[in-house]
Amino acid sequence: MGAADAGEGSSAVVLAGGRGSRLGGVDKALLVVDGRTLLDRVLEAVGGPGRAVVVGPRRDVPGVRWAREDPPGGGPLAGLAAGLRWVTTDLVVVLAVDQPGVTRATVDRLLASVGDTGAVLVDAGGRPQWLTGAWRADRLRAALPADPRDASARSALGPLDPVLVPALPGEARDVDTPADL
């Protein structure tokens, strides 16, 4: 089942197009943590590659629908807009590829918490993790600016007033530098 025809339930948009500049240009999606790539880990968390649209350069991963923001490198909201074009489900999970602590249980908690608009993970410091959430797809589309390039996720998604879901230890950790690995 492809993300575009997932029908019931939810699908996912995985943001995997970053430059990895703080990692020396390394492709974060292909970094290995505990024997699996970050992309494999996030695809497992959303229920498999057939439920996901991955936004970023195409990689050798079967069963995934690939999308690309225009222009490439336009930021996470541009990536989200590109991925949402392929989503036909009412609910959509949005995840950045660089959070190895996000699991299927994390995704299930987010989906169970979606209110009228969405739910986002909140780190131990109380900061919403705008790229780790579950959303009503129509509300998410309506919140995106006409030109999402380089727009802030907080400025676009914050007004939706999503349900805040406290992160369990390690869930909100991301990989930005070699020390984060």
Side-chain angles (χ1 to χ4, degrees):
M1 165 168 42
D5 59 5
E8 280 183 32
S10 66
S11 53
V13 172
V14 176
L15 302 171
R19 292 182 279 279
S21 55
R22 288 181 279 182
L23 284 166
V26 171
D27 185 352
K28 284 186 186 183
L30 300 180
L31 288 174
V32 176
V33 174
D34 294 332
R36 295 185 326 221
T37 67
L38 290 178
L39 181 57
D40 287 338
R41 295 173 76 83
V42 76
L43 291 174
E44 181 180 301
V46 299
R51 300 193 62 80
V53 177
V54 179
V55 181
R58 185 177 294 270
R59 295 149 180 112
D60 187 22
V61 180
V64 170
R65 176 175 295 278
W66 296 94
R68 194 63 196 209
E69 71 273 25
D70 184 27
L77 283 189
L80 179 54
L84 279 173
R85 289 186 194 114
W86 297 102
V87 169
T88 60
T89 56
D90 292 333
L91 295 176
V92 60
V93 175
V94 176
L95 296 176
V97 77
D98 66 349
Q99 291 186 301
V102 171
T103 66
R104 183 66 201 174
T106 310
V107 170
D108 288 345
R109 282 192 355 263
L110 288 166
L111 286 167
S113 300
V114 171
D116 292 336
T117 60
V120 296
L121 204 64
V122 179
D123 70 16
R127 291 176 298 273
Q129 302 300 297
W130 297 110
L131 303 181
T132 309
W135 300 90
R136 298 209 176 273
D138 59 340
R139 300 294 301 270
L140 192 55
R141 283 184 186 96
L144 292 178
D147 182 2
R149 287 178 294 172
D150 301 320
S152 146
R154 179 176 43 96
S155 67
L157 305 179
L160 291 175
D161 195 25
V163 174
L164 303 178
V165 178
L168 298 178
E171 282 181 323
R173 180 177 71 89
D174 61 359
V175 176
D176 287 328
T177 67
D180 295 335
L181 286 171

